Amino acid sequence: MPHITIQMYPGRDDATKKKLADAILETASKTLERGKEHFSVSIVDIPQDEWKDKVYDKVLSDKNTIIQPGYKM
């Protein structure tokens, strides 16, 4: 049962977040050949001033991060 978490800066409305979650769910379902009912998706807003500590530094040190960020902080 994959769970997908999306972390991003605040500012998008619920409709935009839902559209993103649906698109990711569609891709994950097709790629993993599992029904959509097997997935869950959450979106977590992280304020810009907390991004480095809460996301960036953890992503860089996480051996499970498949795609590293293409920006520096």
Side-chain angles (χ1 to χ4, degrees):
M1 299 282 196
H3 175 75
I4 300 163
T5 302
I6 302 162
Q7 297 174 305
M8 63 184 181
Y9 289 168
R12 281 92 173 178
D13 60 27
D14 289 343
T16 301
K17 290 177 181 181
K18 176 76 166 96
K19 186 175 177 180
L20 174 61
D22 287 341
I24 290 172
L25 174 61
E26 183 72 30
T27 298
S29 175
K30 286 180 181 178
T31 301
L32 298 177
E33 299 178 348
R34 301 291 296 174
K36 293 177 185 177
E37 69 275 8
H38 294 280
F39 296 84
S40 55
V41 179
S42 62
I43 296 179
V44 180
D45 289 332
I46 308 289
Q48 187 173 358
D49 62 338
E50 298 175 15
W51 189 262
K52 185 176 184 317
D53 292 334
K54 289 188 173 180
V55 179
Y56 185 81
D57 290 343
K58 290 179 182 179
V59 165
L60 289 179
S61 66
D62 185 349
K63 65 180 167 93
N64 294 313
T65 298
I66 304 299
I67 300 173
Q68 291 286 331
Y71 60 91
K72 304 281 186 210
M73 295 196 87

